[in-house]
Amino acid sequence: MRRISRITVAGAATASLALALSACGSTSTSGSSDSKGDKGLAIAYDVGGKGDQSFNDAAYAGLEQAKKEFGYQTADVEPTEGETNADKEQRLASLAKQGYNPVIGVGYAYAAAVKGAAEKFPDTTFGIVDDATINTKNVADLVFNEEQASYLAGVAAAKTSKSKVVGFVGGVDIPLIHKFQAGFAQGVKETDPKVKVLSQYLTQTAEEGGFASPDKGKTAAEGQIEKKADVVYAAAGLSGQGVIEAAAANKVWAIGVDSDQYQQEALAKYKDSILTSAMKDVAKAVYNLAKSVEDGKPETGIVRGDLKTGEVSLSNSNPKFADDAELQAAIKTAKEKIISGEIKVKSS
């Protein structure tokens, strides 16, 4: 098996990338590993980078699965502070030029970069997570019905709350995160109209740190807890760790997002306060795109995951959540109604 350790670079030109690899001590085996075709999946992380215990780590899990199954060389590249769309495009283009295929931008912020790089490298398959705006023949738009899993999180919150107040913390005030808020609030209200939903966004733009500032998440959650919220749901990337920390400190429930945060090693000391997580299977989407390229039938266009496909869901890792028969029955009923179309979940 060819293998390469994680790449962490700021530059984007191939020569700069190679230099950074050397400086970071990253290694690559096999003298022929630079030839086209030897390299497989490469991902470029969103704000927060690897280690966010959420969105980016889910993408990395998909990369690791592909690497293990297909035995090829992979790369994962960190974002840099204050980078431009041109920087992102150079990063993706550099990976494509080196022979990686597919190349995936993790997050909607890569939209312009993926479009530009895909036009320059028409024989490479590109993917973008959480954006459906690119209509290019060699691009797969990997998107999800996050509002559906969030609706189930709302059911769980409403059924669990004793104070009749729950909270939502969004990382950045953008349409993508509005989907999480809308589904959650609808799930709460349709389960128990008496439950109040407190909502707060941490920043207006990602550049202000809404997805990468646990301290901001902690402060927002503490404010909601002071107002009697006893279940707080965060859709805030790395900032969500602060929400979970605040929930644990105040002995209330947190609901995680994207990954099964109850299982995350970095959050282990808080896991007894994580009721469930509204998951979207970014790992599966990333792996499936890699497999489609490996099979010679690359996915393109909009590739959507929802409750019906199983790519959005609630985690059952916490035994207190999984063993609550009444709660599980309510969630099952809601899930069935969403899949059948009886419940139409709002996305804004």
Side-chain angles (χ1 to χ4, degrees):
M1 176 187 295
R2 295 178 178 83
R3 57 188 178 84
I4 187 169
S5 63
R6 175 172 163 235
I7 301 174
T8 305
V9 297
T14 305
S16 298
L17 186 56
L19 184 61
L21 281 170
S22 176
C24 292
S26 298
T27 58
S28 173
T29 61
S30 174
S32 64
S33 64
D34 287 335
S35 63
K36 191 105 173 160
D38 271 20
K39 295 180 179 179
L41 171 63
I43 61 176
Y45 293 117
D46 198 4
V47 174
K50 186 179 175 186
D52 67 351
Q53 311 300 319
S54 182
F55 183 72
N56 289 301
D57 282 2
Y60 179 72
L63 178 140
E64 285 289 277
Q65 183 183 356
K67 178 180 176 180
K68 181 178 180 180
E69 183 163 331
F70 306 131
Y72 56 30
Q73 185 171 310
T74 60
D76 60 313
V77 188
E78 295 283 358
T80 59
E81 187 174 349
E83 67 187 19
T84 65
N85 285 336
D87 295 329
K88 290 183 174 70
E89 182 177 328
Q90 284 187 317
R91 178 181 303 130
L92 300 178
S94 175
L95 292 166
K97 186 175 182 180
Q98 292 175 78
Y100 289 102
N101 188 18
V103 176
I104 301 176
V106 183
Y108 70 90
Y110 276 97
V114 167
K115 188 175 187 298
E119 290 172 353
K120 292 176 181 175
F121 293 89
D123 295 330
T124 298
T125 296
F126 289 82
I128 182 166
V129 181
D130 282 350
D131 182 87
T133 65
I134 304 174
N135 184 19
T136 303
K137 64 179 182 179
N138 59 326
V139 175
D141 297 328
L142 309 175
V143 294
F144 303 85
N145 286 116
E146 296 95 346
E147 70 278 6
Q148 294 181 349
S150 295
Y151 183 102
L152 300 184
V155 174
K159 297 288 287 184
T160 302
S161 178
K162 300 286 193 292
S163 67
K164 300 296 182 180
V165 181
V166 301
F168 171 82
V169 176
V172 180
D173 191 357
I174 53 173
L176 173 64
I177 306 303
H178 296 170
K179 293 170 69 178
F180 290 88
Q181 179 189 8
F184 179 70
Q186 184 181 349
V188 170
K189 291 299 183 182
E190 292 184 359
T191 301
D192 187 346
K194 295 179 181 178
V195 177
K196 181 179 181 180
V197 181
L198 305 175
S199 296
Q200 181 177 344
Y201 287 92
L202 300 180
T203 63
Q204 294 298 305
T205 66
E207 289 74 20
E208 295 172 277
F211 291 133
S213 305
D215 57 330
K216 294 182 189 295
K218 183 179 180 181
T219 299
E222 287 172 342
Q224 293 182 343
I225 293 166
E226 285 178 6
K227 296 176 182 176
K228 307 302 182 185
D230 59 356
V231 184
V232 184
Y233 173 39
L238 184 66
S239 300
Q241 292 191 27
V243 174
I244 292 169
E245 181 182 351
N250 289 276
K251 301 189 185 313
V252 301
W253 287 111
I255 295 178
V257 76
D258 292 340
S259 299
D260 182 356
Q261 297 196 299
Y262 184 90
Q263 299 280 17
Q264 294 289 347
E265 185 175 342
L267 299 173
K269 62 183 175 181
Y270 308 126
K271 71 177 186 177
D272 289 340
S273 296
I274 302 173
L275 181 66
T276 180
S277 296
M279 299 188 299
K280 60 180 182 183
D281 203 341
V282 175
K284 183 177 179 181
V286 166
Y287 166 80
N288 282 347
L289 181 58
K291 186 176 189 303
S292 75
V293 172
E294 189 75 4
D295 292 345
K297 299 176 181 179
E299 291 179 330
T300 58
I302 294 176
V303 183
R304 185 175 298 278
D306 57 16
L307 281 180
K308 187 173 183 179
T309 67
E311 288 178 52
V312 301
S313 61
L314 283 190
S315 64
N316 273 329
S317 297
N318 189 331
K320 291 183 180 178
F321 176 75
D323 296 341
D324 188 327
E326 182 182 348
L327 179 53
Q328 291 297 323
I331 291 168
K332 181 181 178 183
T333 298
K335 179 179 177 180
E336 290 171 349
K337 288 182 177 180
I338 292 170
I339 292 173
S340 72
E342 184 177 343
I343 292 176
K344 298 188 184 305
V345 184
K346 298 174 184 177
S347 59
S348 64

